[in-house]
Amino acid sequence: MFRAEYGRAVAVLTRVFGDIDTAEDAVQDAFAEAARRWPRDGLPPSPAGWIITTARNRAIDRLRREAARAGKHAQAALLNAQGEPAQEGPVRDDRLRLIFTCAHPALGRAAQVALTLRLLGGLTTAEIARAFLVPEPTMAQRLVRAKGKIRDAGIPYRIPAEADLPGRLAAVRAVLYLIFN
């Protein structure tokens, strides 16, 4: 069965997942599972279909685990950091740390202001959209993209080092000025 169906199963899963390594690993796992089950339960009506379905399910499970891994690592880091002393620096206010995160130079000015209004000002997406004169779905997408950029770029939730503070204050001042206008 392995010789007859391995290549076909790998080809099908490569087409589905677009990754040869993922397909091969999943098919090998499916054949290992077949070696455990089939002697006990008997041969299924369609062995090739069983292999492909089992391999596809294994690949999906593996991809989900890998996708969730980053979040679990972040949670573990957060739990670990809770036991550490609070970061001391030139500013000791969590809201200011969040303002510096929201006003990071990697974000555009409009995204900086909108994100600060949402996270620190407590405004709804609809209220922010009205202030920017854009449709609510457009503003919702901007906020999602800004949060994603913070996550993907690894923008830290912290006050910049004292030496970097003067260069970063201009953006924070501009965001604060625009918020109060």
Side-chain angles (χ1 to χ4, degrees), residues 33-181:
E33 185 65 24
R36 283 190 292 275
R37 284 191 186 188
W38 291 358
R40 180 187 68 217
D41 301 340
L43 205 61
S46 173
W50 189 96
I51 291 292
I52 290 171
T53 301
T54 302
R56 182 180 52 80
N57 292 340
R58 295 283 172 112
I60 290 170
D61 290 344
R62 179 186 219 166
L63 293 171
R64 284 181 182 151
R65 275 192 312 273
E66 290 175 6
R69 182 179 300 147
K72 289 181 180 182
H73 284 289
Q75 287 175 345
L78 179 62
L79 290 173
N80 188 33
Q82 287 176 348
E84 296 175 4
Q87 174 191 0
E88 293 297 324
V91 181
R92 293 177 184 88
D93 186 334
D94 283 336
R95 290 171 296 183
L96 288 175
R97 288 180 189 173
L98 188 54
I99 288 174
F100 274 99
T101 300
C102 292
H104 194 275
L107 301 173
R109 187 58 46 95
Q112 292 172 343
V113 173
L115 199 56
T116 304
L117 286 170
R118 179 76 181 114
L119 298 177
L120 290 156
L123 274 68
T124 66
T125 303
E127 291 169 329
I128 298 168
R130 280 194 305 274
F132 277 79
L133 304 173
V134 298
E136 186 176 347
T138 301
M139 183 52 66
Q141 189 58 41
R142 283 183 189 171
L143 292 168
V144 167
R145 279 194 302 265
K147 290 176 190 175
K149 185 162 192 166
I150 288 171
R151 179 193 63 241
D152 296 342
I155 295 173
Y157 170 68
R158 67 168 191 252
I159 304 294
E162 205 160 346
D164 299 330
L165 206 50
R168 294 282 306 278
L169 282 176
V172 170
R173 285 186 194 124
V175 166
L176 292 174
Y177 174 78
L178 291 171
I179 287 172
F180 285 105
N181 285 318

